Amino acid sequence: MIRDVLKMGDPRLLRVAQPITDFGTPALLALIEDMTDTMAALNGAGLAAPQIGVDLRVVIFGVGHNPRYPEAEEVPYTILCNPTLAPLTNDFEEGWEGCLSVPGMRGLVPRHTALRYSGYGLNGEQIEREVSDFHARVVQHECDHLDGVLYPMRVRDLRNFGFSAALFPGEDLGDDD
Ligand code: NI
């Protein structure tokens, strides 16, 4: 079921979400189905449970091949519960981000360029990956939502935050993460 996505300003987006304690339950499966439906309907790159008002540490993300951006890196569809992130370098890179909770806008956000993430899948299976660049950026963005952090809070220079249509005139920027 497609759910409403909370918009920046809603205090529920600012909570530190609670860990999942029971895996493989019908309730967790239903939550992930709703998140998947919502992300697909809005053409998002990822979604965190707090964005649909659910105070749990669950994120999903994934970016398939897009013929409009053939050079864009693909990210496998992933369900991640109780994630932990460990940076693999002290390097940061600035990159443009959007968010389904901040529709129509973009901001330039510094992120670690490489990290190891770990967590659990729907049935409690362990997930651990080392990733870089765009994949690492998407994971950092989604996991920030679990700690009540929205990307505009990380924009270093607010001159690099604005409406997509004004920042990138003429570009077809339909996707938010
Ligand atoms: Ni977001």
Side-chain angles (χ1 to χ4, degrees), residues 46 51 98-101 141-142 145 150-151 177:
Q51 290 181 275
C99 181
L100 296 174
S101 294
H141 176 114
E142 297 311 327
H145 280 294
L150 299 165
Y151 82 82
D177 24 310

Side-chain angles (χ1 to χ4, degrees), residues 19-29 32 57-58 79-83 119-126:
I20 296 288
T21 55
D22 295 312
F23 291 91
T25 63
L28 183 57
L29 177 61
I32 288 166
R57 303 187 78 79
V58 181
I79 297 160
L80 198 59
C81 303
N82 301 347
Y120 301 90
L122 169 63
N123 294 304
E125 66 277 24
Q126 200 149 11

Side-chain angles (χ1 to χ4, degrees), residues 152 155-162:
V155 173
R156 284 176 170 153
D157 180 343
L158 284 171
R159 287 174 293 190
N160 295 318
F161 176 59

